[in-house]
Amino acid sequence: MSDAAVPVLSPAQLNKRILSVIIFTFFCYLSVGLPLAVLPGFVHNQLGFSSFTAGLIISLQYFATLLSRPHAGRLADRLGPRRVVMLGTLGCGISGALSLLAALCSGAPHLSLGLLALGRLFLGVGESFSSTGSTLWGMKLVGPLQTARVISWNGVATYFAMAIGAPLGVLLNDAWGLSGFAGLVAALGALGFWLASRKPAVSVTAGARIPFHRVVSRVWLFGLALGLGTLGFGVISTFITLYFSSRGWTGAAFALTLFSLGFVLVRLACGRFILRVGGLRVALVSLLVECVGLLLIWQADSRWLVDCGAFLTGSGFSLVFPALGVEAVKRVQQQDQGSALGTYSAFLDLGLGLTGPVAGLLIGHWGMQSVYLAAALTVMAAGVITLRLHQQHRAATPMSER
């Protein structure tokens, strides 16, 4: 199907088309979520390695995703998103098979650890290929005017899959050990590959493609704002449990639930405003709300204030990725949108990858609360960058088009 040949569709038809390919994002991030609560315990308790090694095994996937994300976008532009999604689901399936072998080889700890590490690398590459490819696939199915809708649905699929993946992984591990979740990951990869192979491909947009460094030069500021704005999500998802513990409180899980609830509600209810008022304006408001939520957590003297802060942070962060993403992909022609999307998304991975070590240093010097103040200041910096981009956009837009 050609990008220019997309017919006028009703909202229900648009959502149906988008969901038909966003299902691959769901499979991907379910595969990402399943091992999260299980692998560290397996590496530390059963294989006998240090907590640092257990953490490193988890981090390998994020670095693989970060490094491969721009390449996934470039391949999607050249080969088409369907092939990239097929490669991504294949990578996720291989990671499950390698984890299954690692479980069978647990009597040889170093071999088992090596298989797990290799599986994490495959999962990281599979994540970047599956998510980037399915997003671009959805954009081509419904046309460039619906980019915000595609990215929004992609995010809902991502966080919903992650939310159910971790507890499901624990249940499978309790019942069947590591083989339980590993087998499901392998099966999801195989199912995703089969489903993608049966869907019709969309056409690759013709036209001269600009060099990759020029793509980076056009989208990096949007990516930097995204990476800085991601810190709010990073410090809540990683440290809110420790924050509650340091204050002698219980109920950290409820704060995480409220964060997720705010994220999903705003993404579903307010995503349409990106197209109506512009991505940069929506991003500015979103970053402001996220910053207020983080400051509330920083100064909170009760659990309910932290809960309110978590809800506001999730609500604010919800539209940052699609709002800035819509503006980022506008900076290139359609034949380069995969490269732009992959490069832009890599800043999200970078932000999440740096959150842990940087926040750990802050906690060691200034205590647990300091990470929420630092995150709020970082989100403010993202807002300053977004404001500058908005001012540049207004200066370049004729008065009649504002």
Side-chain angles (χ1 to χ4, degrees):
M1 178 180 294
S2 168
D3 299 300
V6 177
V8 177
L9 302 171
S10 68
Q13 291 172 320
L14 286 170
N15 290 335
K16 183 178 179 180
R17 285 197 176 192
I18 294 169
L19 291 174
S20 72
V21 292
I22 294 303
I23 185 67
F24 303 112
T25 296
F26 178 80
F27 285 172
C28 163
Y29 282 98
L30 185 58
S31 300
V32 170
L34 284 166
L36 283 181
V38 175
L39 274 189
F42 177 79
V43 172
H44 182 59
N45 298 324
Q46 292 184 243
L47 298 185
F49 292 97
S50 67
S51 298
F52 173 80
T53 302
L56 183 61
I57 287 293
I58 295 295
S59 297
L60 280 175
Q61 177 218 316
Y62 297 120
F63 288 111
T65 301
L66 172 64
L67 294 175
S68 60
R69 185 86 75 170
H71 300 291
R74 293 168 67 189
L75 282 175
D77 286 331
R78 286 159 173 76
L79 302 179
R82 186 185 72 157
R83 291 186 181 181
V84 170
V85 167
M86 291 171 65
L87 289 172
T89 55
L90 182 63
C92 293
I94 290 173
S95 75
L98 288 169
S99 297
L100 193 59
L101 287 175
L104 297 175
C105 296
S106 59
H110 286 88
L111 174 60
S112 181
L113 186 70
L115 290 168
L116 285 177
L118 186 59
R120 297 298 291 172
L121 293 175
F122 269 100
L123 185 59
V125 175
E127 176 191 345
S128 61
F129 276 55
S130 296
S131 60
T132 303
S134 60
T135 304
L136 187 63
W137 199 349
M139 289 164 56
K140 288 184 175 294
L141 281 175
V142 298
L145 289 178
Q146 300 298 329
T147 297
R149 186 188 292 261
V150 175
I151 296 178
S152 293
W153 274 110
N154 195 67
V156 171
T158 296
Y159 289 98
F160 180 63
M162 292 282 285
I164 67 175
L168 179 58
V170 172
L171 290 174
L172 292 171
N173 183 67
D174 290 342
W176 294 287
L178 197 72
S179 302
F181 90 79
L184 179 55
V185 171
L188 287 171
L191 177 61
F193 183 88
W194 179 75
L195 289 175
S197 68
R198 291 175 58 85
K199 292 183 65 65
V202 292
S203 61
V204 177
T205 305
R209 292 180 171 84
I210 61 176
F212 181 64
H213 71 273
R214 289 183 61 191
V215 175
V216 175
S217 70
R218 294 184 184 187
V219 305
W220 77 273
L221 272 177
F222 297 92
L224 181 60
L226 170 68
L228 294 173
T230 301
L231 269 291
F233 165 63
V235 295
I236 286 183
S237 62
T238 306
F239 294 103
I240 196 68
T241 302
L242 294 178
Y243 181 74
F244 268 69
S245 178
S246 70
R247 305 292 292 273
W249 297 338
T250 58
F254 183 63
L256 286 170
T257 299
L258 287 174
F259 175 92
S260 301
L261 181 63
F263 180 96
V264 173
L265 289 177
V266 171
R267 179 76 59 106
L268 292 176
C270 303
R272 63 185 183 276
F273 289 109
I274 296 174
L275 184 60
R276 292 183 181 180
V277 304
L280 291 172
R281 290 179 179 176
V282 171
L284 278 170
V285 174
S286 298
L287 290 166
L288 176 61
V289 173
E290 183 182 356
C291 184
V292 170
L294 290 166
L295 290 173
L296 192 59
I297 296 174
W298 170 54
Q299 285 292 284
D301 56 5
S302 65
R303 287 180 295 177
W304 75 269
L305 283 176
V306 176
D307 290 341
C308 291
F311 181 81
L312 284 175
T313 304
S315 300
F317 177 65
S318 178
L319 293 179
V320 172
F321 184 95
L324 290 172
V326 165
E327 300 298 329
V329 298
K330 285 181 182 177
R331 267 51 184 181
V332 299
Q333 298 298 316
Q334 288 189 8
Q335 61 267 26
D336 292 304
Q337 284 186 344
S339 297
L341 184 63
T343 302
Y344 167 75
S345 301
F347 284 88
L348 174 69
D349 304 316
L350 181 62
L352 291 176
L354 292 176
T355 296
V358 172
L361 290 174
L362 290 174
I363 292 170
H365 285 86
W366 290 290
M368 183 63 65
Q369 285 178 273
S370 66
V371 299
Y372 294 97
L373 174 60
L377 295 174
T378 305
V379 172
M380 283 184 192
V384 171
I385 294 171
T386 304
L387 179 61
R388 178 60 178 163
L389 288 168
H390 179 58
Q391 290 171 341
Q392 291 175 350
H393 176 70
R394 283 180 59 86
T397 303
M399 288 291 295
S400 59
E401 298 180 14
R402 292 181 185 176

